[in-house]
Amino acid sequence: MLTPDQIENLNEWIKEAYGSPKELTKQLDNLVFMLLFLEEEVFTKREVQSAAELLKGFGVVLGWECLST
């Protein structure tokens, strides 16, 4: 669980770095898309899919619009 200070810091970081939660969501969505197309020689397909699901879950848990599937 995030503390009130962590939430405040996270909100400030999002605003400073991305301008809005919606813009950060777009960036996370792009990252998930890119992770799905990494070369298998670097990571196994399952490792990459797990990383993408982690990032997608991060957005959902923080209450942003659901990242596209």
Side-chain angles (χ1 to χ4, degrees):
M1 171 148 324
L2 296 174
T3 67
D5 284 342
Q6 289 172 316
I7 293 169
E8 184 178 331
N9 290 339
L10 179 61
N11 285 331
E12 199 166 310
W13 174 77
I14 291 167
K15 185 177 179 182
E16 288 177 11
Y18 296 96
S20 70
K22 187 173 183 174
E23 183 59 32
L24 178 58
T25 299
K26 286 183 198 176
Q27 295 299 321
L28 286 170
D29 192 41
N30 289 338
L31 180 57
V32 169
F33 181 79
M34 290 180 342
L35 285 173
L36 292 173
F37 293 98
L38 285 176
E39 296 290 326
E40 283 194 36
E41 293 90 42
V42 178
F43 301 103
T44 67
K45 185 174 182 177
R46 186 65 214 137
E47 287 171 324
V48 173
Q49 289 171 335
S50 293
E53 287 299 318
L54 176 88
L55 290 172
K56 185 175 179 180
F58 174 71
V60 172
V61 167
L62 291 177
W64 299 325
E65 297 291 319
C66 184
L67 300 174
S68 64
T69 55

